[in-house]
Structures are given as C-alpha cells and as structure tokens.
Amino acid sequence: LTVGYAPVDLELDVEGAGEIPLGESDLILVQLVGLFDLATFRGSRLAAGPLLAYAAFDDASVDPRGSARAGVTEANLDSSALFGVEARLDTPVGSRGWYFSSAVRWLAGGPDLEVFTDADGSGPGSSGRVLAGTGSDDFDPLLVSLGFGRRF
C-alpha cells in the first residue's frame, strides 16, 4: 500500500481556442500493488505487477488567465479509480529492513472534469454559475517515483 501527494496544473484544451489554464489542484493517490519478484541481484529486488489506485482531487484554484480568456470561475474534478501496472527496483539501505525504491507506473482511467462560468459574464461573485462543459481529464499515464520504505 502506498500513498502519494502531488500538486497538478490543469489546462483546458478547447478546439479553436487552444489551451486555457484552469489552475492548480492537489492530487492524493492511494495505491494497492501486487508485486511479483522478477530478479534479485546484489541484494536489490526487481518486481512488477498490477495496481489499483484511488485518485482524489480537490477543486482547482482558478487561474486568472483562464478566468479572463473564458470566464471560468470554477473547475471540479471527481475522485476516481485507476488501474495499471508497476515495475519497481528496491535496493537495501543498511540491515534493518530499510530500502531505496524507484518505480515506474502506467495508469489508465481518469477523473471527470466539470468547468463552470459565471451566469451573466460579470466575473467572480456574479449572480450564478453555468456548467460550461464536462469531459474526462487527460493526464500523462506514466509516473516515475523515488522513495524510501521499510519492510517489517
């Protein structure tokens, strides 16, 4: 079981208008990985296997450029389940179960995205909001990580 955190920048790709910056959202990724040993050399362990993950995003803080170009006042990402594969190399550090880990993951799936604009075009704090569009968030499915762990 692993838990990770990362701030992510969001952009909206609009046909004919190009990319519109939406802002930043925080991603929390909880993963359950089933690793199978492939090789062991010099005490290091190479393993790979399937993974299931839960991705939770907070609401994006809207970038002023996105608000100015498209009247975007709010962007929401739903939490979602992801699946994929992981390859990991664990190298022991000392003799008490600690190890340095490097991993490569490929994930499929992704959250649904909702983008809102203000109802009357007057900017934040106007009389209401209008759903301007929905879609799925496209993200780079390849994740690389480095870290430390401990086996009990």
Side-chain angles (χ1 to χ4, degrees), residues 9-108:
D9 289 324
L10 303 173
E11 294 177 338
L12 183 62
D13 191 8
V14 179
E15 192 173 326
E19 290 184 350
I20 298 172
L22 290 179
E24 187 177 276
S25 179
D26 294 326
L27 164 65
I28 296 174
L29 191 64
V30 179
Q31 303 174 121
L32 183 60
V33 185
L35 293 173
F36 300 94
D37 288 343
L38 300 177
T40 302
F41 50 94
R42 294 185 187 169
S44 295
R45 172 182 170 237
L46 178 63
L51 72 85
L52 292 174
Y54 177 74
F57 293 87
D58 68 354
D59 292 342
S61 56
V62 176
D63 190 298
R65 295 172 294 166
S67 185
R69 274 188 71 193
V72 174
T73 57
E74 187 179 335
N76 300 329
L77 289 162
D78 291 339
S79 299
S80 65
L82 307 171
F83 61 92
V85 294
E86 177 176 320
R88 180 188 299 176
L89 178 64
D90 293 338
T91 304
V93 177
S95 61
R96 295 190 176 181
W98 289 96
Y99 62 92
F100 174 76
S101 179
S102 54
V104 176
R105 297 172 188 88
W106 182 86
L107 297 172

